[in-house]
Amino acid sequence: DVKVTQSSRYLVKRTGEKVFLECVQDMDHENMFWYRQDPGLGLRLIYFSYDVKMKEKGDIPEGYSVSREKKERFSLILESASTNQTSMYLCASGAAGPEYNEQFFGPGTRLTVL
Amino acid sequence: AQSVTQLDSQVPVFEEAPVELRCNYSSSVSVYLFWYVQYPNQGLQLLLKYLSGSTLVKGINGFEAEFNKSQTSFHLRKPSVHISDTAEYFCAVIVPGAGSYQLTFGKGTKLSVIP
């Protein structure tokens, strides 16, 4: 059974803290993604990675960075958390290929920044 | 660039009644289309997808969707809903091709099934 896990389901941090959100997949997928989900806005892509140490900006990368040192792990970093980064964060992974391959999602991390 | 519009943010429906969740897209090129479901406190799960071929696509849990190119729509339907269908549903598109990664999502439709 395919599996994408995220390190925390709920996280509470203070403004200015450095925050790490971790995502691990066990499907040997090349592609990994970080999305942010907000009520009434749907899912918006923050960053994605198509290989180890490779990354591409999505639609809303400001205030975030990412790290992919191993194929199975993709980290989202908030260098200095702010209250407007309070949100649900979803990680996904998918195989590479000539066309499209399905993205599999983790359960999400609900981050609250106080 | 492509975009997705889900016309209803919330849809209440009685148990065993039919339901249609509407999705329209905008794109200057051909796209692949998807419906995802998110149950409370869970991640997204793929319900169904249209890549090519028959315009009527059947998915899991009794859902189906019809691709209408002339109306640029991909509406999701179920003839008889259950309480367990209460969830948020997202329509998404992607432009197919080598190196194609980015899904564009609609803002979601919350389906509430009333007993």
Side-chain angles (χ1 to χ4, degrees):
Chain A
D1 198 15
V2 298
K3 204 160 187 182
V4 179
T5 57
Q6 296 183 228
S7 52
S8 305
R9 293 299 305 273
Y10 301 92
L11 209 53
V12 180
K13 295 291 181 181
R14 296 208 176 273
T15 302
E17 280 192 79
K18 190 169 185 176
V19 181
F20 292 87
L21 303 183
E22 305 284 341
C23 175
V24 177
Q25 52 99 357
D26 65 358
M27 296 164 282
D28 202 34
H29 285 161
E30 292 80 6
N31 301 331
M32 295 188 75
F33 308 82
W34 275 108
Y35 294 90
R36 172 176 170 158
Q37 182 182 11
D38 298 289
L41 296 179
L43 276 75
R44 294 177 291 168
L45 183 65
I46 305 171
Y47 268 98
F48 67 94
S49 169
Y50 51 89
D51 201 351
V52 174
K53 296 191 186 296
M54 306 304 289
K55 61 186 180 185
E56 291 282 347
K57 292 180 180 179
D59 297 320
I60 51 164
E62 297 78 18
Y64 303 94
S65 62
V66 290
S67 172
R68 192 162 179 206
E69 297 296 319
K70 293 185 178 181
K71 190 176 185 180
E72 67 270 19
R73 188 180 297 269
F74 191 35
S75 302
L76 180 70
I77 303 156
L78 287 67
E79 294 289 341
S80 177
S82 63
T83 54
N84 62 13
Q85 292 178 309
T86 291
S87 187
M88 171 72 92
Y89 291 88
L90 290 167
C91 176
S93 74
E99 291 280 326
Y100 168 78
N101 287 287
E102 180 182 345
Q103 291 184 22
F104 295 88
F105 285 81
T109 295
R110 189 169 293 280
L111 172 66
T112 302
V113 183
L114 301 175
Chain B
Q2 56 276 9
S3 66
V4 178
T5 302
Q6 291 184 241
L7 296 156
D8 305 296
S9 59
Q10 298 191 51
V11 173
V13 63
F14 285 105
E15 194 174 14
E16 297 184 5
V19 70
E20 178 179 82
L21 305 184
R22 297 180 292 169
C23 172
N24 285 88
Y25 69 93
S26 173
S27 176
S28 58
V29 297
S30 294
V31 295
Y32 292 163
L33 294 147
F34 308 85
W35 276 100
Y36 282 85
V37 60
Q38 184 178 35
Y39 298 105
N41 297 316
Q42 294 187 28
L44 272 68
Q45 178 183 358
L46 183 66
L47 262 184
L48 48 79
K49 61 187 175 188
Y50 173 78
L51 306 184
S52 63
S54 172
T55 57
L56 183 63
V57 180
K58 294 191 184 297
I60 62 172
N61 301 338
F63 284 92
E64 63 181 30
E66 185 156 21
F67 170 57
N68 187 319
K69 189 174 182 179
S70 62
Q71 297 191 5
T72 60
S73 68
F74 190 54
H75 300 333
L76 181 70
R77 301 185 183 101
K78 187 170 183 178
S80 175
V81 295
H82 302 286
I83 295 290
S84 59
D85 293 323
T86 294
E88 191 160 16
Y89 294 78
F90 292 93
C91 183
V93 302
I94 195 167
V95 175
S100 176
Y101 304 119
Q102 187 163 350
L103 279 168
T104 300
F105 285 89
K107 295 182 179 181
T109 298
K110 287 188 176 177
L111 174 65
S112 298
V113 180
I114 305 161

